[in-house]
Amino acid sequence: MYANPEVPTPIAGTTVALRYALIPVHGYGIAVATVARMLDAGRAQARILAPGESLPYGAQPVLLAETTVYGATCVEGMLRQWGPLPKPWLVLVADAPTRPVAEARYLVRALQARLAGVATVPYLPMLRAVRDPEQAMEHKDVLAAAEKLRRTLEGK
Protein backbone atom coordinates (compact mmCIF):
# COMPACT_ATOMS: atom_id res chain seq x y z
CA MET A 1 0.00 0.00 0.00
CA TYR A 2 1.22 3.50 -0.76
CA ALA A 3 1.48 6.24 1.82
CA ASN A 4 -0.08 9.68 1.34
CA PRO A 5 2.10 11.69 -1.09
CA GLU A 6 0.81 15.01 0.19
CA VAL A 7 3.06 16.69 2.76
CA PRO A 8 2.71 20.11 4.37
CA THR A 9 5.12 22.79 3.23
CA PRO A 10 6.63 25.39 5.50
CA ILE A 11 4.56 28.07 3.70
CA ALA A 12 1.10 28.78 5.13
CA GLY A 13 -0.01 25.14 5.43
CA THR A 14 -0.29 24.55 1.68
CA THR A 15 0.54 21.09 0.34
CA VAL A 16 2.75 19.81 -2.44
CA ALA A 17 3.25 16.33 -3.82
CA LEU A 18 6.28 14.50 -2.48
CA ARG A 19 8.74 14.28 -5.38
CA TYR A 20 11.61 12.17 -3.99
CA ALA A 21 11.41 9.27 -1.56
CA LEU A 22 14.94 8.75 -0.27
CA ILE A 23 16.06 5.29 0.82
CA PRO A 24 19.47 5.07 2.52
CA VAL A 25 20.80 1.60 1.74
CA HIS A 26 23.32 1.33 4.57
CA GLY A 27 22.52 3.77 7.31
CA TYR A 28 21.74 7.36 8.11
CA GLY A 29 24.41 10.03 8.53
CA ILE A 30 25.24 13.60 7.63
CA ALA A 31 25.70 12.71 3.95
CA VAL A 32 22.18 11.24 3.73
CA ALA A 33 20.69 14.15 5.64
CA THR A 34 22.49 16.65 3.39
CA VAL A 35 21.37 14.94 0.17
CA ALA A 36 17.79 15.05 1.48
CA ARG A 37 18.19 18.77 2.11
CA MET A 38 19.78 19.23 -1.35
CA LEU A 39 16.79 17.65 -3.08
CA ASP A 40 14.23 19.27 -0.83
CA ALA A 41 15.45 22.80 -1.55
CA GLY A 42 13.08 24.18 1.10
CA ARG A 43 9.97 23.01 -0.78
CA ALA A 44 9.17 19.83 1.19
CA GLN A 45 9.61 17.70 -1.93
CA ALA A 46 12.07 15.13 -0.55
CA ARG A 47 11.82 12.89 2.48
CA ILE A 48 13.90 10.06 3.88
CA LEU A 49 11.77 6.95 4.28
CA ALA A 50 11.93 5.02 7.52
CA PRO A 51 13.01 1.36 7.29
CA GLY A 52 10.09 -0.70 5.98
CA GLU A 53 8.00 2.37 5.10
CA SER A 54 5.94 2.13 1.91
CA LEU A 55 6.90 4.15 -1.12
CA PRO A 56 4.54 7.13 -1.38
CA TYR A 57 2.43 7.04 -4.55
CA GLY A 58 3.92 9.21 -7.28
CA ALA A 59 7.26 9.79 -5.56
CA GLN A 60 10.49 8.90 -7.37
CA PRO A 61 12.44 6.37 -5.30
CA VAL A 62 16.06 7.40 -4.73
CA LEU A 63 18.60 4.99 -3.24
CA LEU A 64 21.45 6.68 -1.35
CA ALA A 65 24.83 4.97 -0.95
CA GLU A 66 28.49 5.77 -0.51
CA THR A 67 31.00 5.06 -3.27
CA THR A 68 32.44 2.05 -1.45
CA VAL A 69 32.30 -1.64 -2.32
CA TYR A 70 30.09 -2.08 0.74
CA GLY A 71 27.73 0.63 -0.52
CA ALA A 72 27.53 -0.94 -4.00
CA THR A 73 26.92 -4.37 -2.46
CA CYS A 74 24.08 -2.96 -0.34
CA VAL A 75 22.55 -1.40 -3.47
CA GLU A 76 22.77 -4.78 -5.22
CA GLY A 77 20.99 -6.46 -2.30
CA MET A 78 18.27 -3.80 -2.30
CA LEU A 79 17.70 -4.18 -6.05
CA ARG A 80 17.40 -7.97 -5.74
CA GLN A 81 14.35 -7.41 -3.53
CA TRP A 82 12.99 -4.40 -5.43
CA GLY A 83 9.99 -6.01 -7.13
CA PRO A 84 7.51 -4.21 -9.40
CA LEU A 85 8.09 -0.70 -8.05
CA PRO A 86 9.33 2.02 -10.42
CA LYS A 87 13.06 1.87 -11.12
CA PRO A 88 14.92 3.93 -8.51
CA TRP A 89 17.59 6.53 -9.06
CA LEU A 90 20.90 5.83 -7.34
CA VAL A 91 22.72 8.72 -5.73
CA LEU A 92 26.31 7.86 -4.90
CA VAL A 93 27.96 10.10 -2.31
CA ALA A 94 31.75 10.14 -2.56
CA ASP A 95 33.38 8.98 0.66
CA ALA A 96 36.87 10.17 -0.34
CA PRO A 97 38.39 12.76 -2.70
CA THR A 98 39.33 10.03 -5.22
CA ARG A 99 37.42 7.84 -7.67
CA PRO A 100 35.64 4.82 -6.27
CA VAL A 101 37.66 1.61 -6.29
CA ALA A 102 37.34 -0.54 -9.40
CA GLU A 103 35.16 -3.20 -7.80
CA ALA A 104 32.58 -0.62 -6.68
CA ARG A 105 32.55 1.04 -10.13
CA TYR A 106 32.10 -2.29 -11.91
CA LEU A 107 29.28 -3.38 -9.63
CA VAL A 108 27.40 -0.10 -10.08
CA ARG A 109 27.88 -0.35 -13.86
CA ALA A 110 26.45 -3.90 -13.80
CA LEU A 111 23.38 -2.65 -11.89
CA GLN A 112 22.57 0.28 -14.20
CA ALA A 113 19.91 -1.62 -16.18
CA ARG A 114 17.87 -1.91 -12.95
CA LEU A 115 18.13 1.80 -12.21
CA ALA A 116 16.42 4.91 -13.60
CA GLY A 117 19.84 6.56 -13.50
CA VAL A 118 22.94 7.17 -11.42
CA ALA A 119 23.89 10.55 -9.99
CA THR A 120 26.98 11.39 -7.98
CA VAL A 121 27.69 13.83 -5.20
CA PRO A 122 31.37 14.74 -4.94
CA TYR A 123 33.41 14.41 -1.78
CA LEU A 124 32.43 17.33 0.44
CA PRO A 125 35.01 17.66 3.24
CA MET A 126 32.95 20.29 5.06
CA LEU A 127 30.40 17.57 5.96
CA ARG A 128 32.90 16.38 8.55
CA ALA A 129 32.67 19.73 10.36
CA VAL A 130 28.98 20.68 10.28
CA ARG A 131 26.32 20.12 12.93
CA ASP A 132 23.40 19.61 10.56
CA PRO A 133 22.39 19.76 6.88
CA GLU A 134 21.24 23.37 7.15
CA GLN A 135 24.75 24.39 8.18
CA ALA A 136 26.17 22.33 5.29
CA MET A 137 23.91 24.18 2.84
CA GLU A 138 25.69 27.43 3.72
CA HIS A 139 28.81 26.27 1.84
CA LYS A 140 29.14 27.16 -1.84
CA ASP A 141 30.49 23.69 -2.75
CA VAL A 142 27.41 22.04 -1.24
CA LEU A 143 25.10 24.48 -3.02
CA ALA A 144 26.84 23.77 -6.33
CA ALA A 145 26.60 20.00 -5.76
CA ALA A 146 22.91 20.39 -4.87
CA GLU A 147 22.16 22.28 -8.07
CA LYS A 148 23.96 19.67 -10.17
CA LEU A 149 22.17 16.82 -8.37
CA ARG A 150 18.72 18.37 -8.90
CA ARG A 151 19.47 18.99 -12.60
CA THR A 152 20.60 15.39 -13.03
CA LEU A 153 17.51 13.90 -11.39
CA GLU A 154 15.20 16.24 -13.28
CA GLY A 155 16.84 15.34 -16.60
CA LYS A 156 18.04 18.85 -17.44
Side-chain angles (χ1 to χ4, degrees):
M1 194 97 270
Y2 290 103
N4 183 356
E6 298 293 311
V7 293
T9 63
I11 303 170
T14 60
T15 59
V16 295
L18 182 65
R19 187 170 190 166
Y20 302 109
L22 308 177
I23 305 165
V25 297
H26 58 80
Y28 181 86
I30 188 64
V32 169
T34 302
V35 169
R37 183 68 177 83
M38 287 173 164
L39 292 176
D40 183 62
R43 299 176 299 216
Q45 292 186 341
R47 183 168 60 84
I48 299 168
L49 298 183
E53 183 177 352
S54 297
L55 180 66
Y57 183 75
Q60 173 66 52
V62 178
L63 303 179
L64 301 173
E66 291 181 348
T67 56
T68 60
V69 174
Y70 178 73
T73 302
C74 289
V75 169
E76 179 183 31
M78 178 78 71
L79 290 175
R80 283 186 182 162
Q81 304 171 29
W82 194 252
L85 296 171
K87 286 183 179 182
W89 269 89
L90 173 60
V91 173
L92 292 171
V93 181
D95 68 317
T98 62
R99 324 175 16 164
V101 296
E103 187 177 347
R105 290 193 318 266
Y106 298 148
L107 185 51
V108 168
R109 190 175 307 142
L111 297 172
Q112 284 185 331
R114 299 181 191 177
L115 297 166
V118 178
T120 58
V121 174
Y123 178 67
L124 299 168
M126 71 281 307
L127 293 184
R128 297 174 53 88
V130 296
R131 296 182 193 278
D132 54 40
E134 285 72 28
Q135 189 178 14
M137 294 301 292
E138 295 172 3
H139 295 270
K140 67 178 180 166
D141 292 343
V142 176
L143 291 173
E147 182 62 32
K148 182 180 176 190
L149 178 61
R150 284 191 300 270
R151 278 195 322 263
T152 301
L153 267 59
E154 292 168 3
K156 296 178 184 179

